[in-house]
């Protein structure tokens, strides 16, 4: 659960809102907001239904990662498996099980919710719910039609080396690995 805190001297009050773009992944919003000093300003931000990310741990201790091309960064990246909620009210636990299965071809007997993170609160409302999964059983990977994902398992030492040399650098993966207690 994400708690919302308010302080009169810091809160901004929306007074008007316009949707600028409505895409399959996200929406772009332009708001007018009253600032704490009474002035009016604009706020541009992205509405996102939220997402999940999973640290899948095999019985031998290796961690399952996925490798895929990330268009905005124009590079192939190593990450923990993840995916977006189908809609803002989807249960993140159910989404996590679905995404683990689709992206990696594994299902998990045991799950633990780690933390939830705000990825880029300066311009997006996206919240990613991070999980640890173990007791894995392999089956067929079944990605979405526009996803091309390779799946590999690594030791913790290999993952630490990947981080050190800049081969694994996305925030959700790093946060989840730290939240699991795997990184110090």
């Amino acid at each position: 659960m994400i708690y919302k805190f308010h302080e009169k001297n810091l809160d901004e009050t929306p007074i008007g809102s316009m949707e600028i773009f409505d895409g399959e992944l996200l929406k772009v919003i332009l708001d007018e907001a009253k600032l704490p000093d009474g002035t009016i300003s604009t706020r541009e931000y992205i509405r996102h239904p939220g997402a999940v990310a999973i640290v899948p741990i095999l019985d031998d201790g290796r961690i399952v990662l996925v490798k895929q091309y990330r268009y905005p960064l124009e590079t192939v990246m190593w990450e923990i498996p993840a995916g977006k909620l189908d809609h803002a009210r989807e249960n993140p636990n159910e989404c996590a099980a679905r995404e683990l299965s689709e992206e990696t071809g594994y299902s998990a007997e045991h799950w633990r919710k780690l933390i939830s993170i705000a990825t880029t609160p300066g311009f997006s409302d996206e919240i990613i719910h991070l999980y640890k999964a173990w007791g894995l059983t392999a089956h067929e990977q079944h990605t979405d039609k526009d996803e091309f994902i390779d799946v590999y398992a690594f030791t913790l030492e290999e993952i630490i080396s990947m981080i050190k040399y800049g081969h694994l650098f996305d925030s959700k993966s790093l946060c989840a690995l730290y939240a699991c207690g795997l990184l110090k």
Side-chain angles (χ1 to χ4, degrees):
M1 171 178 269
I2 301 296
Y3 296 98
K4 296 185 179 186
F5 299 95
H6 296 280
E7 292 185 27
K8 187 177 180 177
N9 65 321
L10 297 174
D11 280 359
E12 299 178 6
T13 306
I15 53 177
S17 186
M18 178 174 36
E19 187 174 271
I20 296 177
F21 174 77
D22 182 9
E24 192 171 316
L25 174 66
L26 52 87
K27 299 175 188 309
V28 178
I29 310 296
L30 176 64
D31 280 2
E32 275 194 327
K34 185 176 181 182
L35 305 183
D37 68 359
T39 59
I40 306 298
S41 186
T42 57
R43 297 292 185 241
E44 301 170 355
Y45 61 98
I46 295 170
R47 285 228 178 268
H48 188 284
V52 298
I54 308 102
V55 178
I57 302 175
L58 295 169
D59 290 343
D60 65 6
R62 290 179 302 147
I63 299 159
V64 177
L65 296 181
V66 296
K67 181 171 64 169
Q68 62 186 317
Y69 187 79
R70 290 303 196 175
Y71 191 87
L73 295 179
E74 301 176 341
T75 190
V76 171
M77 292 183 67
W78 289 104
E79 306 171 38
I80 61 174
K84 101 178 165 54
L85 300 173
D86 282 343
H87 50 83
R89 289 193 169 91
E90 181 179 15
N91 182 321
N93 299 341
E94 294 170 11
C95 180
R98 181 186 72 241
E99 290 296 336
L100 178 64
S101 175
E102 288 178 4
E103 290 198 356
T104 68
Y106 285 100
S107 58
E109 183 178 350
H110 305 288
W111 289 87
R112 187 179 69 165
K113 170 81 179 281
L114 299 169
I115 57 174
S116 296
I117 58 172
T119 58
T120 49
F123 65 85
S124 175
D125 67 352
E126 180 186 37
I127 301 293
I128 299 182
H129 307 279
L130 305 178
Y131 292 85
K132 175 183 176 182
W134 66 101
L136 303 181
T137 301
H139 54 81
E140 287 292 315
Q141 179 190 37
H142 50 105
T143 59
D144 293 337
K145 65 180 179 185
D146 63 345
E147 286 183 310
F148 300 89
I149 298 174
D150 290 339
V151 180
Y152 298 89
F154 296 94
T155 65
L156 182 57
E157 292 75 23
E158 290 170 321
I159 287 177
I160 290 169
S161 180
M162 293 167 76
I163 294 167
K164 179 179 178 181
Y165 292 104
H167 301 291
L168 193 163
F169 61 94
D170 84 290
S171 61
K172 71 182 176 310
S173 297
L174 296 173
C175 287
L177 292 165
Y178 274 104
C180 273
L182 298 172
L183 301 178
K184 305 278 187 242

